[in-house]
Amino acid sequence: MSQKFTQDQINNVLWQACDTFRGNIDSSTYKDYILVMLFIKYLSDTYKERLTEYEERYAGDEVRIKRALDRERFMMDEKSTFDYLYDKRSSPEIGETINKALAQIEEKNKTKLRGVFKNIDFNSEAVLGKAKERNAMLKNMLEDFAKLDLRPSKLSGDDVIGNSYEFLISRFASDAGKKGGEFYTPSQVSELLARLVKPEVNDRIYDPTCGSGSLLIRAYQKVPNGKAQIYGQERNGQTQALCLMNMFLHGIDDAKIAWGDTLSNPQHLEDDKLMKFQVVVANPPFSLDKWAMGFAGEGSDKQFKMEASLDPYRRFEWGVPPASKGDFAFVLHMLHSLAEGGRMGVVLPHGVLFRGASEKKIREQIINLNLLDAVIGLPANLFFGTGIPATILVFKQNRDRNKILFIDASGEGYYEKGKNQNRLREEDIQRIVDVYDRYETVDKFSYVAAIDEIKENDYNLNIPRYVDTFEEEEQVDMDEIKENIKNIKAELEEVEAQMAKYLEELGL
């Protein structure tokens, strides 16, 4: 029986392939080249295996072979395969040859891959350097990827390639520092959000700031038989392309991932209104500055001031978030995109819980409309690019209870400390989900607050106001301490006397 490649083996080869670029190009840039090449290698090896199968099955009948290949998920020709590129790896035009292969793959798969490779240029002098060094890097990369055999029959599981893609994205996010948080949500946080919002069969699942799509995929994987429709939008064109490839590698061919600014140009509409979704998940950029500039139009200047009337979808009538903090702009977009009975989970900085001015007005509206279901405090240093602790807010349409659950999961013992990054373990995730499901007060961990209590607190949602995690210090017994000091002094006097005796015996 021929050897199958395990997840770890593939991950190791891929990470070694990154050495070709490390030190020459920033990881936030070279990740695009590595991830695109992984995608091409997977398509190419799958095509090669199918071609061999059909050649045997149809005894070399080219018409029948072509007809069968045309029904595959992706179509290719010989000049766009990895093997063709590998054969040309020493060519002085290898960068241009790869670009032509990408264009050909897009052309043959227009409905699925249109624009996916729009932002990648393997012949870019600005990014990859002058011809000699550029060609050397590309040759090394092709030789590294040639070590992998990604034919489906050679993989030890259906999700190996998708998991490898996620592995690379997470490693790149870790390397990229602050930029990493822009395209990746740590897998434990994605898992927690997915369990809290409980996606169901036939749900529409939406992430308006989807990054590389990890949150969407986690939520989708909770739906039995995968009978759900995924929608996402991402402002960064390169990241949107990464998200699309991520979807395909996880076997999700019909995800609708749009490119553009969700706030000023939402792409998912129905009858000129915001489309409604049963499940919304998001990890939007924390406190995004100038979030409303997309509404300014041409000829705008620094004096531009966002007004609710500028939004055709009337999302900001409860209040216009401050220009320098876009957190509630995303929350309002998502709440207006939530269907009747819908569930929504969003990761936000703690400031949204207590900041004043327009943000307080928005909180009042949300609470008075009984949309907020839970506030969950997470440990610090879970996310790439920021060490600050974050919170998850869970919202529901048509709630039947007049309370809000507060959970403080930031304490020691509720997460695993890491050298660079903390992480939630499985038991930490499940502890939060269990308390949320039971909707109960647990000493020093959670508290169920009546809406009236929150109003008495002037709509301040700061978690320490509700969850008391204060640990009383143990009483100090002063008599015992006095006795200990007395004994120590006695022992010291005894040692000094003994020492003096020894010195006298030595004549010193």
Side-chain angles (χ1 to χ4, degrees):
M1 187 174 178
S2 60
Q3 182 199 1
K4 292 199 174 193
F5 280 84
T6 65
Q7 187 77 68
D8 286 344
Q9 287 172 320
I10 293 176
N11 289 354
N12 286 338
V13 172
L14 290 172
W15 197 236
Q16 285 169 13
C18 297
D19 288 339
T20 294
F21 296 98
R22 232 174 251 127
N24 296 315
I25 306 172
D26 189 85
S27 66
S28 63
T29 301
Y30 76 68
K31 78 178 190 308
D32 300 323
Y33 293 91
I34 293 288
L35 292 170
V36 166
M37 192 50 63
L38 173 60
F39 188 61
I40 299 306
K41 184 76 168 82
Y42 170 70
L43 295 187
S44 186
D45 285 0
T46 302
Y47 167 81
K48 187 163 64 177
E49 183 164 272
R50 295 285 185 268
L51 177 60
T52 303
E53 283 175 18
Y54 294 138
E55 283 175 341
E56 290 176 5
R57 184 182 305 174
Y58 299 122
D61 184 331
E62 291 188 4
V63 174
R64 298 184 72 185
I65 293 169
K66 182 178 181 309
R67 194 185 303 149
L69 287 172
D70 287 347
R71 289 196 293 268
E72 288 293 319
R73 283 176 69 204
F74 296 98
M75 290 185 279
M76 299 190 86
D77 60 27
E78 279 303 314
K79 288 193 175 183
S80 54
T81 61
F82 177 84
D83 290 351
Y84 178 83
L85 299 177
Y86 181 72
D87 289 342
K88 299 288 182 186
R89 65 189 184 282
S90 298
S91 161
E93 281 86 37
I94 182 60
E96 187 56 30
T97 304
I98 298 174
N99 283 347
K100 286 178 181 174
L102 297 182
Q104 185 65 6
I105 293 171
E106 269 200 28
E107 178 64 25
K108 279 193 161 292
N109 301 276
K110 285 179 188 170
T111 54
K112 287 180 178 172
L113 299 181
R114 186 190 297 275
V116 165
F117 305 123
K118 60 183 177 289
N119 293 305
I120 192 89
D121 180 1
F122 280 83
N123 204 35
S124 170
E125 184 172 313
V127 177
L128 299 175
K130 293 188 176 177
K132 187 177 177 183
E133 54 194 276
R134 179 169 73 246
N135 291 341
M137 274 195 283
L138 295 176
K139 182 182 177 187
N140 283 339
M141 182 181 67
L142 289 165
E143 288 177 345
D144 286 331
F145 272 89
K147 298 171 189 169
L148 292 172
D149 185 346
L150 302 183
R151 287 178 290 173
S153 64
K154 298 291 181 183
L155 303 176
S156 59
D158 293 337
D159 296 328
V160 171
I161 299 299
N163 291 342
S164 291
Y165 194 82
E166 285 271 318
F167 162 80
L168 280 176
I169 291 176
S170 69
R171 295 293 292 265
F172 288 135
S174 177
D175 266 16
K178 189 174 181 181
K179 288 181 182 174
E182 294 175 7
F183 59 83
Y184 185 71
T185 301
S187 59
Q188 336 105 47
V189 179
S190 297
E191 178 66 23
L192 173 59
L193 268 176
R195 293 190 200 178
L196 289 169
V197 295
K198 298 178 176 33
E200 297 174 356
V201 171
N202 295 328
D203 276 351
R204 283 176 172 174
I205 304 172
Y206 175 49
D207 183 346
T209 56
C210 63
S212 57
S214 56
L215 251 174
L216 280 170
I217 289 170
R218 285 283 174 164
Y220 176 84
Q221 289 172 335
K222 300 296 175 201
V223 181
N225 303 320
K227 290 183 177 176
Q229 179 66 56
I230 282 183
Y231 296 81
Q233 185 162 341
E234 171 57 39
R235 186 168 68 168
N236 182 304
Q238 286 179 326
T239 307
Q240 183 242 0
L242 291 185
C243 181
L244 277 169
M245 286 187 276
N246 201 6
M247 295 292 159
F248 291 130
L249 291 177
H250 281 87
I252 308 169
D253 286 3
D254 59 351
K256 301 181 188 307
I257 308 298
W259 176 27
D261 182 346
T262 291
L263 297 176
S264 63
N265 187 22
Q267 299 283 302
H268 297 297
L269 304 174
E270 266 183 338
D271 301 325
D272 295 328
K273 296 177 182 173
L274 294 177
M275 186 179 280
K276 301 290 185 181
F277 304 91
Q278 286 74 37
V279 168
V280 182
V281 287
N283 176 19
F286 285 2
S287 301
L288 182 66
D289 191 17
K290 301 175 184 172
W291 62 269
M293 288 310 292
F295 292 89
E298 293 182 7
S300 59
D301 56 37
K302 293 181 180 177
Q303 302 304 314
F304 170 73
K305 185 180 177 186
M306 180 62 189
E307 296 175 1
S309 60
L310 294 174
D311 178 35
Y313 307 104
R314 304 175 63 181
R315 290 168 291 179
F316 307 115
E317 293 185 351
W318 301 350
V320 177
S324 61
K325 291 182 175 59
D327 304 308
F328 269 114
F330 291 106
V331 171
L332 290 172
H333 168 78
M334 289 185 268
L335 283 172
H336 285 79
S337 302
L338 200 58
E340 289 290 311
R343 292 88 63 205
M344 165 179 150
V346 54
V347 182
L348 294 161
H350 276 250
V352 300
L353 302 177
F354 51 77
R355 289 195 295 246
S358 63
E359 292 183 289
K360 183 188 170 195
K361 289 182 183 173
I362 295 168
R363 269 200 313 277
E364 286 179 15
Q365 287 287 335
I366 289 172
I367 292 166
N368 290 337
L369 290 168
N370 202 20
L371 294 168
L372 182 60
D373 201 44
V375 178
I376 301 168
L378 298 175
N381 211 23
L382 282 183
F383 295 86
F384 299 107
T386 177
I388 65 170
T391 183
I392 290 177
L393 300 191
V394 183
F395 298 86
K396 280 186 177 177
Q397 279 277 11
N398 303 338
R399 290 203 323 144
D400 56 3
R401 49 193 168 206
N402 209 24
K403 301 169 182 174
I404 295 174
L405 173 67
F406 290 82
I407 296 176
D408 185 351
S410 65
E412 286 195 19
Y414 298 144
Y415 63 94
E416 182 179 271
K417 283 189 176 179
K419 186 178 177 184
N420 299 316
Q421 210 87 33
N422 295 329
R423 63 182 293 274
L424 294 173
R425 299 158 296 195
E426 166 58 28
E427 61 263 35
D428 304 321
I429 295 171
Q430 197 53 47
R431 182 185 299 110
I432 296 170
V433 174
D434 286 345
V435 170
Y436 175 69
D437 288 345
R438 292 196 293 267
Y439 217 77
E440 64 181 5
T441 295
V442 176
D443 187 37
K444 301 189 186 312
F445 187 68
S446 67
Y447 179 75
V448 180
I451 296 288
D452 287 342
E453 187 177 352
I454 292 164
K455 290 179 180 176
E456 286 170 11
N457 276 326
D458 202 21
Y459 296 92
N460 188 319
L461 299 173
N462 203 17
I463 297 170
R465 283 180 178 249
Y466 304 94
V467 183
D468 181 7
T469 57
F470 180 73
E471 295 281 354
E472 287 192 13
E473 291 184 10
E474 194 176 338
Q475 290 289 327
V476 176
D477 186 338
M478 292 307 295
D479 290 338
E480 186 180 343
I481 289 177
K482 280 182 185 175
E483 187 63 28
N484 284 340
I485 292 173
K486 183 179 169 185
N487 291 338
I488 290 169
K489 281 183 175 177
E491 285 179 22
L492 186 60
E493 285 174 5
E494 192 176 325
V495 169
E496 286 176 343
Q498 190 71 41
M499 183 64 73
K501 186 180 173 186
Y502 290 150
L503 291 173
E504 187 179 347
E505 288 174 0
L506 292 170
L508 298 174

